[in-house]
Amino acid sequence: MNTVIENLLNDQIKYEANASMHYLAMASWSDANGYNGIADFFYAQSEEERLHMTKLVKFVNERGGNVVIPQLEKPHADYNALIELFEDFLKSEIFVTEQINHVIFECLNQKEYNVHNFMQWYVTEQLEEEATARTLLDKLNIIGNDKSGLYMFDRDINTIAASVDVDLK
Ligand code: FEO
């Protein structure tokens, strides 16, 4: 496997793993602060990121590359308010998108068209995840400190997230 691409894919494995732990910490914070719906949302997001990581691990192995399972960063896990947590969520997704764009850029540079093709799945996934993070943050900004609004947000978060639809046509 092309070494430049192999290294970038290993970096991406680490970013997905870190995102998974980050969202697990967010789920735990939400649970501890009485937001059970939000906790369920982030437990599921954490699982999704783990799958993103595993998909890359399998791909690199299938292509005869060398996978390096990374040491994980301790995630930021302390928030003063819900809005901070969702700002952090969007920031994290934007970071992952930037890294994926970088991998795509290098795939073209290195003429690694198969990897480029494989990475398109991540491009679409990131579009959806960023749109979800933005929608949730927008809703929270509207709600502000209104307690009944926050109660409903916690109750309905999975419905709101499921309703986010990215038109790729
Ligand atoms: Fe797999 Fe949302 O980064």
Side-chain angles (χ1 to χ4, degrees), residues 16 19 23 49 52 93 96 122 126 129:
E16 303 289 349
Y23 298 160
E49 299 302 347
H52 296 176
E93 288 302 328
V96 172
Y122 286 85
Q126 280 312 115
E129 293 198 335

Coordinates of all heavy atoms in Angstrom, one line a residue, residues 16 19 23 49 52 93 96 122 126 129, ligand 1:
E16 N -11.3 8.9 14.1 CA -12.6 8.2 14.3 C -12.7 7.6 15.7 O -13.7 7.7 16.4 CB -12.9 7.2 13.3 CG -12.8 7.6 11.8 CD -13.9 8.5 11.4 OE1 -14.9 8.7 12.1 OE2 -13.8 9.1 10.3
A19 N -13.1 10.4 18.2 CA -14.5 10.9 18.1 C -15.4 10.0 18.9 O -16.3 10.5 19.6 CB -14.9 11.1 16.6
Y23 N -17.6 11.3 22.0 CA -19.1 11.2 22.1 C -19.6 10.3 23.3 O -20.6 10.6 23.8 CB -19.7 10.7 20.8 CG -19.3 11.7 19.6 CD1 -19.4 11.3 18.3 CD2 -18.9 13.0 19.9 CE1 -19.0 12.2 17.3 CE2 -18.6 13.9 18.9 CZ -18.6 13.5 17.6 OH -18.3 14.3 16.6
E49 N -19.2 6.1 15.3 CA -17.8 6.5 15.1 C -16.9 5.3 15.2 O -15.9 5.1 14.5 CB -17.3 7.6 16.0 CG -18.1 8.9 15.9 CD -18.0 9.5 14.5 OE1 -17.2 9.1 13.7 OE2 -18.9 10.4 14.2
H52 N -17.1 3.6 12.0 CA -16.3 4.3 11.0 C -14.8 3.9 11.1 O -14.1 3.7 10.1 CB -16.4 5.8 11.2 CG -17.8 6.4 11.0 ND1 -18.0 7.7 11.2 CD2 -18.9 5.8 10.6 CE1 -19.3 7.9 10.9 NE2 -19.9 6.8 10.6
E93 N -17.0 17.4 14.4 CA -17.4 16.9 13.0 C -16.7 17.7 11.9 O -16.3 17.1 10.9 CB -18.9 17.0 12.8 CG -19.7 15.9 13.7 CD -19.2 14.5 13.3 OE1 -18.9 14.2 12.2 OE2 -19.2 13.6 14.2
V96 N -13.2 16.4 11.6 CA -13.1 15.1 10.9 C -13.3 15.3 9.4 O -12.6 14.7 8.6 CB -14.2 14.1 11.5 CG1 -14.2 12.9 10.6 CG2 -13.8 13.7 12.9
Y122 N -17.3 8.2 3.3 CA -17.0 9.1 4.4 C -17.4 10.5 4.1 O -17.9 11.2 5.0 CB -15.5 9.0 4.8 CG -15.2 7.7 5.6 CD1 -14.9 6.6 4.8 CD2 -15.3 7.6 6.9 CE1 -14.6 5.4 5.5 CE2 -15.0 6.4 7.6 CZ -14.7 5.3 6.9 OH -14.4 4.1 7.5
Q126 N -20.1 12.4 6.4 CA -19.7 13.7 7.1 C -20.7 14.8 6.7 O -21.0 15.6 7.6 CB -18.3 14.1 6.7 CG -17.2 13.4 7.5 CD -17.5 13.4 8.9 OE1 -17.7 12.3 9.5 NE2 -17.5 14.5 9.6
E129 N -23.6 14.1 9.0 CA -23.3 14.4 10.4 C -23.1 15.9 10.7 O -23.5 16.3 11.8 CB -22.1 13.6 10.8 CG -22.4 12.1 10.8 CD -21.4 11.2 11.6 OE1 -20.3 11.6 11.8 OE2 -21.9 10.1 12.0
Ligands
FEO1 FE1 -16.8 9.5 11.6 FE2 -18.4 11.8 12.3 O1 -16.8 11.2 12.0

